[in-house]
Amino acid sequence: MKSSVSVTFPSMFVGGFQGTLQLEIARDGMVVRELLKTLFERYPEIKSQIVDNNYRLNRFVIICVNNNDIRFQNNLDTIILARDEISIIKLISGG
């Protein structure tokens, strides 16, 4: 049985991509890396803004699962369960 998670983009990405979407996940216990692959299949234009060519998070992107930064968990191998809330935050800097 497929479940879904909520993925929120509180800051603007290319093409005005911002807001919340529901993504189906194949199973509980899937990891953030797998979720991103599903996301990029549907929205390929945002991939380069989130990960680099080696599939590492870009320097100015933070991903949180239930408000917990994945960098302090298992990074892209952080486990996702049905009904989790994922936030993909693009940091903005300047002077």
Side-chain angles (χ1 to χ4, degrees):
M1 179 176 147
K2 290 193 176 190
S3 301
S4 67
V5 294
S6 172
V7 181
T8 301
F9 297 84
S11 49
M12 187 104 30
F13 282 80
V14 159
F17 195 88
Q18 184 176 15
T20 301
L21 24 111
Q22 294 294 316
L23 277 184
E24 278 192 353
I25 58 173
R27 59 184 165 69
D28 272 351
M30 147 181 233
V31 296
V32 172
R33 180 184 322 278
E34 295 169 305
L35 177 77
L36 289 177
K37 287 180 183 177
T38 300
L39 179 68
F40 300 150
E41 286 172 7
R42 287 179 59 185
Y43 305 98
E45 67 275 13
I46 64 170
K47 181 178 180 180
S48 65
Q49 296 177 73
I50 297 173
V51 295
D52 65 17
N53 291 335
N54 296 316
Y55 227 83
R56 290 184 302 244
L57 279 181
N58 284 338
R59 203 170 110 181
F60 295 107
V61 172
I62 294 174
I63 297 178
C64 296
V65 175
N66 299 322
N67 295 319
N68 296 305
D69 188 334
I70 65 169
R71 294 176 301 172
F72 303 109
Q73 296 177 50
N74 292 318
N75 214 339
L76 294 176
D77 294 320
T78 300
I79 294 173
I80 300 171
L81 303 174
R83 295 185 289 286
D84 277 350
E85 294 182 9
I86 293 46
S87 298
I88 302 176
I89 303 159
K90 184 176 183 181
L91 302 176
I92 299 171
S93 63

